[in-house]
Amino acid sequence: MATLDELDRRLIAALRADGRAPVASLARTLGVARATVNSRIERLVSSGTVIGFTVRVREERDPLAIHAIALVEVEGRSTDRVIRQLRGFPELIALHTTNGGWDLVAEIRTETLADFDGVLGRIRRIDGVVNSETSLLLTSVLR
């Protein structure tokens, strides 16, 4: 797909806010025809730009109430091996490579602090992980 234009970006933002919004409502919000919205969504999906639609759960009702970010430092050239092992952790909802003092950023969700403590221990025991720093996320003020 060619680069996204302003309408594509506005449509994606509207879908992020409400992935179930009716096409007619999206068209009114964006100031375009319903056919335009339909064709843009179809093109974004068929090109692989939009890979799916999901549900967001109100945080205070989410059973996975403990949400944290773990910064992970990896020894030498063991990053690929560490990533392969971390991919098997069901508590990790996202894993990113990064620059700077840390090599990986992991988003973690667990039901309890005890579960969270267990995940941190398992991360720290992975051969090649030399350091980590973790912050619990308290209140989301912008998504």
Side-chain angles (χ1 to χ4, degrees), residues 6 13 23-24 34 41 45 53 66 79 86 88 96 102 118 121 126 140:
E6 180 63 23
V23 171
R34 288 190 331 234
I41 290 172
V45 170
F53 298 85
I66 309 299
T79 303
L86 288 172
H96 313 274
W102 301 100
I126 294 174
S140 295

Side-chain angles (χ1 to χ4, degrees), residues 106-139:
E107 293 182 57
I108 303 168
R109 284 259 177 155
T110 63
E111 193 169 338
T112 67
L113 285 173
D115 294 339
F116 176 69
D117 188 41
V119 172
L120 290 182
R122 289 182 10 239
I123 289 172
R124 291 176 180 144
R125 285 191 298 274
I126 294 174
D127 189 38
V129 171
V130 293
N131 193 14
S132 68
E133 181 179 314
T134 306
S135 295
L136 290 173
L137 302 180
L138 302 176
T139 302

